[in-house]
Amino acid sequence: GRFYRPIDGQAPGRWEPALPDWFAKGKRLRMIRYIVNLLAVFVVFVGCANEHSRDSLRLILGPADRGTGFRPTLEDDTPWGDSWGASVLRGDDGLYHMWVSVVANNAKMEYWPVNSYVIHATSTKPEGPYKYVADAFPVFAHATDVKRGPGGKWVAFLTAGVVDGKLDPSSYGPAIEFNEDGQPTRDINLEASTEATVLVTADSPYGPWSDPIVLLEPQNLLDGIDANFSAVVHEDGSLVGLWRTWPNGSQVHWVRATNYLDPRTYEWQEQEAPLFKPPYDGHTPDGLEDMFVWYDQGEKIYHAIFHDIVIPEGRRFHDSLGHAYSIDGKKWVYTGEAASTVVRYTDGTTTRSSRARPHLLIVDGKITHLISAEQELEDGRNFTLIEPVLRVEFRRNSEQDAALNADKPRE
């Protein structure tokens, strides 16, 4: 690699060490610039390669029609007020069935821990609009996640008040009523809900639903709060899911069971052990919440989306849609943001979504729509938004997969 040149005045074949021609003044500067630019291109290339090798799931969303989803208004002649997220499945009858949280007595969202209940609505189209069918789960009921179970059973997980083995009002008492001036008729100091996580089953989306089976009592936990429970039930009756506590923010944990109907078979992650590393560990305000869990039968992978409210340093709040995946239901990889927070409408307008209470509509194994609860008021109310999913982009890092527990996935 050394450079040589002939020695002046010497016989041919006599050489001395020398710098290359481009090292001369002027040429040297150009060569340095060339090398710097080459290194910059290399860094960008490596960065792009690393970016594409990262785990990620991305939902590419299409424009939504205004008026779709479930949208209460101040003018509605109905007993409910704000709407806050929904679970939607296509039924065997070809209709799309929605179980949506609403707030009794025309109340605002702030009264959800005492006034929330769940209604059943249907539509001929996945995006809606959805029409009321019946009350599904009475006050107090919230955060419903409906899935299909063994033999086609309809299985609903929800946070609910339970008294003497029946669904009943929360520990805050009956739903708040309001006078003509819109003021509550009794004083109440509302904080978070610590009602039980229960499951109920039915042979039809129209019910009747079974009496509740209590799975989790947050009041008995160190940092108990409404658990945001979501799970997948396999055909053999086994279950994989996620739940949360709140030490300093929403802290996610895993749960598995061999028989979803028998609480004695449930294996719960230690309540003080976070599922994810910082800043998603529940010790950085405000954490990950509102989990929705599903299983990709083709890839044999569990997935979950979250309302990501982890507040970056120097900011007052944060909202986005997060994603994680797992092979065995115990070890999960958090991959980051899964969709834009910008909502596009078919009329050309846009707005911003908080991506709260996210759910997916999955038809024949394909993700078709994203459902979320919206804090940006329309017609004076919080509402439940449904957006079409044009495609799903999922990348897995094989090295990361190797670090996961490689228990044999469910068939």
Side-chain angles (χ1 to χ4, degrees):
R2 296 184 68 182
F3 290 88
Y4 293 85
R5 65 182 179 186
I7 301 176
D8 292 340
Q10 299 292 328
R14 300 294 300 274
W15 300 78
E16 65 180 353
L19 293 173
D21 184 58
W22 51 259
F23 207 80
K25 188 176 181 180
K27 292 183 179 179
R28 179 174 59 196
L29 184 58
R30 287 195 296 273
M31 179 53 66
I32 291 174
R33 289 174 178 168
Y34 173 78
I35 294 173
V36 169
N37 289 336
L38 190 63
L39 288 173
V41 169
F42 177 76
V43 169
V44 170
F45 175 80
V46 171
C48 290
N50 287 338
E51 180 66 25
H52 285 282
S53 68
R54 286 181 53 195
D55 301 292
S56 66
L57 180 136
R58 193 75 179 174
L59 304 177
I60 308 303
L61 304 175
D65 291 328
R66 286 193 178 274
T68 54
F70 192 84
R71 299 169 179 258
T73 72
L74 294 176
E75 287 72 37
D76 284 346
D77 185 21
T78 60
W80 56 74
D82 286 348
S83 157
W84 195 248
S87 184
V88 178
L89 279 74
R90 189 177 70 178
D92 302 330
D93 56 4
L95 293 177
Y96 294 89
H97 294 264
M98 170 185 281
W99 291 267
V100 57
S101 295
V102 294
V103 189
N105 299 332
N106 211 30
K108 295 180 180 179
M109 196 61 215
E110 63 187 281
Y111 290 97
W112 78 265
V114 61
N115 278 34
S116 181
Y117 70 108
V118 176
I119 65 172
H120 177 208
T122 60
S123 174
T124 58
K125 299 186 295 183
E127 66 274 14
Y130 283 80
K131 294 183 179 180
Y132 171 83
V133 173
D135 292 355
F137 310 119
V139 174
F140 167 81
H142 193 70
T144 304
D145 180 31
V146 182
K147 301 288 177 57
R148 300 301 294 267
K153 277 280 188 183
W154 296 79
V155 182
F157 303 98
L158 61 152
T159 297
V162 179
V163 177
D164 296 330
K166 304 290 184 180
L167 295 180
D168 216 57
S170 74
S171 54
Y172 289 112
I176 295 288
E177 297 183 354
F178 300 85
N179 59 29
E180 294 180 355
D181 297 326
Q183 298 302 311
T185 56
R186 63 184 172 95
D187 293 333
I188 188 167
N189 182 25
L190 291 175
E191 297 181 357
S193 169
T194 56
E195 305 307 319
T197 293
V198 307
L199 77 81
V200 294
T201 64
D203 293 324
S204 164
Y206 299 94
W209 295 88
S210 68
D211 288 337
I213 299 173
V214 176
L215 302 179
L216 183 67
E217 291 274 16
Q219 295 180 6
N220 298 332
L221 302 178
L222 294 175
D223 301 298
I225 193 172
D226 57 302
N228 287 176
F229 189 99
S230 178
V232 170
V233 182
H234 293 286
E235 189 61 32
D236 65 358
S238 62
L239 173 148
V240 169
L242 297 174
W243 58 288
R244 60 96 177 250
T245 54
W246 192 285
N248 192 41
S250 187
Q251 185 178 83
V252 182
H253 311 279
W254 58 261
V255 58
R256 300 200 308 182
T258 55
N259 179 359
Y260 78 105
L261 293 172
D262 186 354
R264 295 170 300 180
T265 72
Y266 279 63
E267 179 188 9
W268 302 86
Q269 184 182 7
E270 166 58 43
Q271 61 177 302
E272 293 187 84
L275 184 61
F276 299 114
K277 298 177 181 179
Y280 305 105
D281 59 348
H283 294 291
T284 302
D286 280 321
L288 301 172
E289 64 169 8
D290 294 346
M291 298 76 75
F292 173 80
V293 179
W294 77 98
Y295 185 63
D296 186 325
Q297 183 67 37
E299 295 290 336
K300 310 299 183 190
I301 296 176
Y302 298 97
H303 291 272
I305 52 175
F306 308 80
H307 181 205
D308 180 350
I309 49 175
V310 176
I311 302 176
E313 186 175 353
R315 293 184 55 182
R316 295 170 54 196
F317 69 92
H318 175 75
D319 289 299
S320 68
L321 184 73
H323 167 263
Y325 77 93
S326 173
I327 295 172
D328 66 348
K330 281 188 172 183
K331 294 185 177 180
W332 289 76
V333 177
Y334 188 72
T335 68
E337 187 172 293
S340 170
T341 56
V342 175
V343 177
R344 296 181 295 127
Y345 286 111
T346 53
D347 62 8
T349 60
T350 61
T351 187
R352 181 185 175 278
S353 171
S354 62
R355 301 302 180 201
R357 294 297 310 154
H359 279 67
L360 296 173
L361 173 58
I362 303 174
V363 179
D364 296 329
K366 180 182 178 181
I367 296 171
T368 65
H369 291 78
L370 171 65
I371 306 152
S372 55
E374 296 307 317
Q375 296 174 336
E376 299 288 337
L377 301 183
E378 289 193 6
D379 296 319
R381 290 295 190 195
N382 295 111
F383 66 100
T384 297
L385 173 69
I386 299 181
E387 298 166 272
V389 176
L390 302 181
R391 67 180 186 275
V392 180
E393 299 174 351
F394 178 49
R395 295 188 181 94
R396 291 169 60 189
N397 182 340
S398 58
E399 293 182 2
Q400 182 66 65
D401 282 352
L404 295 172
N405 188 328
D407 288 352
K408 184 178 179 180
R410 299 286 177 185
E411 298 296 334

